[in-house]
Amino acid sequence: MLNSDRHDIGDPTCDGPPGRHRPGIAAVLAMTLVALLAVPGSAQAPPAAARTEPDARPLPEPSTSARELFARTRDRIVQVRVLLASANEQSSLGSGFVVRDDPRAGAWVVTNYHVVADLAIDPIKYRIELRGTNERRTHASLVAIDVIHDLALLRIDPMVERDPWQTFPLRDEPLAQGAKVFALGNPLELGFLISEGIYNGKVEAQLYEQMLFSGALNSGMSGGPAIDAAGRVVGVNVATRRDGESLSFLVPVRFVRDMLARSTSARPRREWRSEIARQLLLHQEFVTRTLLDAADGGGRPANFTTQKLSGRVVPTLGGALPRCWADTRRVDEPRFLRERLRCDLKGGLFVNRRLTLGDAEIDHVFQRNISLVTPQFLDIDSESPSHLGSLTTRFDQEVTRDECRADFVRVAERVYRVSMCVNAYRKFPGLYRYRVGALQVDGVHQRLKSGLELDGFSFENATRITQAFLERLR
């Protein structure tokens, strides 16, 4: 992950996404197609032949020092329950911790954004209840969110004659790699507990900074504090790897400190979608710069590059950030050979259970004819030039209907049928999902099918990335 100074989340009371008026989806599609056809070469008809929540694992027995630390700090942590207001039943569960208590202004509790995302999206439908280790219950209001770093700030209203909340101090000094760290929370609603582990430095190849914690985190511990041996918060529990053993992740405490500095004077609000959209727009702007800005201020972009697939030059995501996979197989042995290269930036931000926005994916499939007759080979994928399916069948409440266009583009002496489908996100104005497919139509012995998917990008940035993608096709 990268430093927070790349993104100023800003005042959480600010309404509305920044920027000028965004074009309608039909205009977006038309303008983007103009950009597609501006790729060097001319359009023509083809020849006649032709994107995790802590897992459920048993926690190891804590050491004596861990048990003593838990006994000293247990009254500072809470269970965060997001309840469906109409049924008064839980929709999501997580943990949180008290960082400040003022008898006149109330108490502030830190948790993860993904714990309270349902309420942030639909605040009328949900409410927040906090439960302490001593069965203390109280209501809380959402006063700040940081979607980029998966943090949220809750406020408990001041009450007359209530006992004060005990609070966690935040650690100021950097944590040394190898130091013991203790994660607290309420996993699987089984009770509050402590998980002991080791801090193993920053997670490599991340857009935003996270801490690697070699300790167990289970579902329900999200938003709980990770503390040092002195009881000071060093991070916030956020996720774990389900395919690894005790590989967990923490949000560094400095992002908590930044959020508190911005937000402790903020008032609760009943509308958060505009603030979510504003932060998503910041994120996609940063992703676009990461992909397209040239290294050291000159030359070609370091993170949007090319490589060869079976001798063909294809655009891909370079640098240390993306995850790429390749495979090859003979289809209907030995009729034709298929090789595939897929790259995913893994940069999407959790918005709600159905949406993760701000990610970029590239997929290439190279096919070489071995024994098919020419019409059979040319018929492969001819009706679907893009490997990317429809979005609206799954997320019809989140996005507008598919709007698709297609045309023929000549690139580097080859002809591609380029298609584009665009959806606009209903709840987040200015954000779109782009699916671009490029199918080579003039190859009778070999052909390339390429796809680009941009999920949650502005019109301007999606156009820039799409053009860079097509310019690198060969």
Side-chain angles (χ1 to χ4, degrees):
M1 289 186 128
L2 301 178
N3 294 337
S4 62
D5 57 4
R6 301 274 186 141
H7 290 277
D8 178 14
I9 304 303
D11 182 357
T13 63
C14 175
D15 289 330
R20 58 185 181 277
H21 176 71
R22 303 287 173 177
I25 191 167
V28 165
L29 195 58
M31 288 186 283
T32 306
L33 280 171
V34 170
L36 296 187
L37 297 178
V39 173
S42 58
Q44 66 173 56
R51 85 156 249 206
T52 308
E53 170 73 9
D55 200 1
R57 299 177 186 269
L59 297 177
E61 185 73 16
S63 64
T64 301
S65 60
R67 290 196 295 269
E68 293 173 351
L69 184 61
F70 178 68
R72 297 201 314 266
T73 59
R74 65 193 306 270
D75 290 338
R76 308 172 191 179
I77 56 177
V78 295
Q79 183 187 51
V80 180
R81 298 162 57 87
V82 177
L83 306 177
L84 183 65
S86 61
N88 205 36
E89 291 293 340
Q90 62 198 30
S91 171
S92 62
L93 295 173
S95 299
F97 57 99
V98 184
V99 292
R100 192 172 298 177
D101 189 12
D102 184 328
R104 294 177 298 178
W108 282 266
V109 174
V110 173
T111 187
N112 287 142
Y113 164 78
H114 76 255
V115 171
V116 298
D118 286 346
L119 180 138
I121 298 295
D122 290 302
I124 303 299
K125 294 182 180 179
Y126 300 93
R127 65 182 182 87
I128 297 174
E129 180 184 83
L130 304 181
R131 292 185 180 182
T133 55
N134 55 1
E135 295 301 318
R136 184 176 184 176
R137 298 189 184 190
T138 186
H139 298 295
S141 302
L142 180 62
V143 294
I145 58 173
D146 181 347
V147 181
I148 289 174
H149 300 108
D150 200 352
L151 294 173
L153 186 63
L154 313 177
R155 193 183 73 180
I156 303 170
D157 289 335
M159 294 183 292
V160 180
E161 297 181 354
R162 69 166 174 86
D163 294 332
W165 289 89
Q166 296 187 44
T167 62
F168 277 101
L170 306 183
R171 179 182 172 116
D172 294 319
E173 305 84 9
L175 194 64
Q177 187 167 351
K180 278 192 175 183
V181 171
F182 306 86
L184 295 86
N186 190 327
L188 304 174
E189 208 171 1
L190 297 176
F192 293 93
L193 52 76
I194 189 167
S195 174
E196 185 174 353
I198 300 296
Y199 168 59
N200 278 292
K202 297 178 181 179
V203 180
E204 297 180 357
Q206 291 276 98
L207 273 174
Y208 304 109
E209 183 182 335
Q210 284 187 340
M211 303 165 66
L212 182 59
F213 172 58
S214 296
L217 294 180
N218 278 332
S219 182
M221 295 183 72
S222 289
I227 61 178
D228 62 14
R232 298 171 297 180
V233 176
V234 300
V236 183
N237 308 334
V238 68
T240 192
R241 284 291 295 263
R242 296 183 179 182
D243 57 350
E245 188 68 30
S246 296
L247 289 176
S248 303
F249 306 95
L250 311 173
V251 180
V253 69
R254 65 190 183 88
F255 297 119
V256 174
R257 190 177 288 105
D258 291 346
M259 182 174 65
L260 286 170
R262 293 190 303 266
S263 309
T264 49
S265 61
R267 295 182 178 181
R269 53 190 283 177
R270 299 293 291 174
E271 186 279 317
W272 286 99
R273 292 181 189 174
S274 60
E275 176 62 15
I276 295 170
R278 190 183 72 85
Q279 295 185 26
L280 291 173
L281 284 165
L282 286 174
H283 169 67
Q284 61 86 36
E285 185 69 38
F286 178 52
V287 170
T288 302
R289 293 200 310 268
T290 300
L291 289 176
L292 297 185
D293 283 2
D296 300 322
R300 297 176 68 84
N303 293 309
F304 201 99
T305 182
T306 60
Q307 67 183 79
K308 288 189 176 181
L309 176 64
S310 195
R312 292 285 295 274
V313 176
V314 295
T316 189
L317 303 176
L321 292 174
R323 312 307 198 263
C324 295
W325 300 265
D327 61 75
T328 181
R329 64 189 178 100
R330 292 177 181 266
V331 183
D332 297 330
E333 181 82 23
R335 303 179 75 190
F336 70 97
L337 179 72
R338 173 174 288 170
E339 296 185 1
R340 189 174 191 180
L341 173 66
R342 291 170 292 169
C343 288
D344 186 348
L345 187 63
K346 295 295 183 183
L349 298 182
F350 179 94
V351 179
N352 61 27
R353 294 177 223 188
R354 294 183 299 244
L355 287 180
T356 301
L357 300 184
D359 202 6
E361 299 179 32
I362 288 178
D363 195 348
H364 300 287
V365 177
F366 178 81
Q367 297 164 339
R368 178 180 289 111
N369 192 4
I370 297 175
S371 62
L372 290 174
V373 297
T374 298
Q376 289 177 311
F377 181 67
L378 295 177
D379 192 52
I380 298 172
D381 299 320
S382 61
E383 298 300 320
S384 180
S386 172
H387 69 292
L388 303 167
S390 174
L391 176 68
T392 53
T393 55
R394 292 181 57 196
F395 300 151
D396 55 347
Q397 294 181 346
E398 304 289 349
V399 298
T400 58
R401 295 178 60 86
D402 285 337
E403 293 283 349
C404 301
R405 299 288 187 273
D407 212 325
F408 295 96
V409 177
R410 176 180 290 278
V411 180
E413 304 304 319
R414 291 187 174 92
V415 179
Y416 291 87
R417 183 174 185 262
V418 176
S419 63
M420 167 174 282
C421 292
V422 179
N423 309 89
Y425 284 95
R426 299 180 188 275
K427 297 176 182 177
F428 306 111
L431 293 174
Y432 303 89
R433 188 188 194 210
Y434 282 65
R435 287 155 294 150
V436 181
L439 176 66
Q440 183 187 350
V441 293
D442 61 346
V444 296
H445 301 296
Q446 60 183 34
R447 67 195 316 191
L448 179 67
K449 180 178 67 170
S450 299
L452 168 68
E453 184 170 353
L454 301 172
D455 203 351
F457 281 74
S458 68
F459 156 70
E460 294 88 352
N461 288 331
T463 301
R464 291 178 60 201
I465 297 172
T466 298
Q467 186 150 359
F469 172 78
L470 292 175
E471 286 174 348
R472 287 160 177 77
L473 280 178
R474 295 292 184 266

